[in-house]
Amino acid sequence: MLEVEGLSVNYGAIRALRQVTFSIAKGEIVALIGANGAGKSTILNTISGIVPAAAGKINFLGKDLTKTPPHRIVELGICQVPEGRRVFARMSVQENLEMGAYTRTDSREVSRDLDAIYQRFPRLGERRKQPARTLSGGEQQMLAMGRALMARPKLLLLDEPSMGLAPMLVETIFGIIQEISKEGTTILLVEQNANMALGIADRGYVLETGEVVVQGPAAELAANPEVRKAYLGE
Ligand code: ATP
């Protein structure tokens, strides 16, 4: 579904990504793990078209995204849940969810999807009229995920969904990610919580200072002594 080949990104003199190559097949959960500043968010932001590529290709269903503007990338079926959620703070929960569907014209299906989101996230249903800023961190994460799902993405990009959440909530969020995957959405998951990410992913890539240093099936990475030492706290 997505093939990234030789992707390099610079911020001025900072070389954030160097020749990054990876792929995601339809239906997979692929995890990108690595320390702070390794370049994980930069990969997602480049796929979304927010950050320009200096070199390389990003092929999504036969189209090169490096030459495609962000709004077109959303229309093609890629949605990002950004780091730190970035919900629209003053808008209500429901308005945030409706914003997620802004490219859609099938209003009956949109309202059906809205009901489905409220079923999946009952807390959002209870708070549908509240401004998003009044939600807890976990609820805002659910809202950001719900907003992305309202676009019916083919590929969902999740940037650090566990950040700042209590362990029990992290379990809940990861359970929901698995459900979304089972329903047919392909997922690229960026996480510092390597343990949790490799627990639900099919495959993973480890990034270090802008380069892919190890890759493989998630179970293999989780068993790799170097990965365990560097990223799983051993
Ligand atoms: P984090 O978990 O902290 O988000 P990350 O692995 O996602 O880490 P990136 O945010 O992609 O890493 O950052 C990769 C490198 O690029 C880092 O050295 C970072 O300081 C730098 N960087 C990221 N965004 C910018 C920017 N807008 N301007 C300049 N440098 C940046």
Side-chain angles (χ1 to χ4, degrees):
M1 179 178 258
L2 184 87
E3 280 161 12
V4 174
E5 204 188 312
L7 182 66
S8 296
V9 171
N10 305 323
Y11 298 107
I14 298 170
R15 300 184 67 195
L17 296 181
R18 300 168 213 218
Q19 296 278 326
V20 169
T21 295
F22 70 96
S23 64
I24 310 173
K26 190 169 185 293
E28 276 191 311
I29 301 181
V30 169
L32 295 179
I33 61 176
N36 240 326
K40 306 180 299 299
S41 300
T42 299
I43 291 181
L44 298 193
N45 291 337
T46 312
I47 294 171
S48 289
I50 304 164
V51 166
K57 287 198 182 117
I58 304 174
N59 189 301
F60 178 66
L61 300 172
K63 200 167 166 53
D64 185 5
L65 300 187
T66 61
K67 297 178 181 70
T68 308
H71 69 275
R72 250 319 267 152
I73 293 173
V74 174
E75 287 164 7
L76 289 172
I78 299 183
C79 248
Q80 183 170 355
V81 180
E83 188 173 338
R85 352 286 189 210
R86 304 283 190 104
V87 295
F88 300 109
R90 289 188 218 191
M91 287 168 60
S92 71
V93 165
Q94 179 133 339
E95 286 164 344
N96 268 272
L97 293 173
E98 285 166 354
M99 285 299 283
Y102 84 99
T103 57
R104 294 174 56 184
T105 50
D106 50 341
S107 56
R108 203 172 290 169
E109 288 286 301
V110 167
S111 85
R112 206 172 294 160
D113 285 358
L114 196 56
D115 289 342
I117 299 282
Y118 288 144
Q119 267 181 13
R120 165 163 288 147
F121 305 106
R123 301 281 286 184
L124 298 183
E126 289 160 22
R127 289 162 169 67
R128 66 181 78 191
K129 294 197 173 129
Q130 278 180 224
R133 67 179 149 75
T134 65
L135 301 182
S136 72
E139 289 161 357
Q140 288 191 16
Q141 183 61 45
M142 292 176 194
L143 180 56
M145 286 168 64
R147 181 180 60 185
L149 290 175
M150 286 299 292
R152 287 206 180 167
K154 297 186 179 99
L155 174 64
L156 186 63
L157 310 176
L158 296 172
D159 199 347
E160 306 260 4
S162 79
M163 193 168 67
L165 302 185
M168 240 181 67
L169 256 174
V170 174
E171 297 263 349
T172 307
I173 294 286
F174 273 71
I176 291 165
I177 296 170
Q178 278 181 302
E179 280 173 30
I180 293 168
S181 162
K182 285 202 185 102
E183 284 162 21
T185 308
T186 306
I187 293 173
L188 179 56
L189 171 65
V190 157
E191 260 300 336
Q192 279 194 51
N193 189 335
N195 228 342
M196 290 295 293
L198 293 177
I200 65 164
D202 297 297
R203 294 185 303 112
Y205 294 83
V206 179
L207 275 163
E208 257 174 45
T209 54
E211 288 178 278
V212 174
V213 289
V214 194
Q215 58 179 289
E220 215 169 85
L221 288 184
N224 176 321
E226 279 177 37
V227 174
R228 296 192 71 81
K229 199 165 154 216
Y231 303 103
L232 300 172
E234 287 192 358

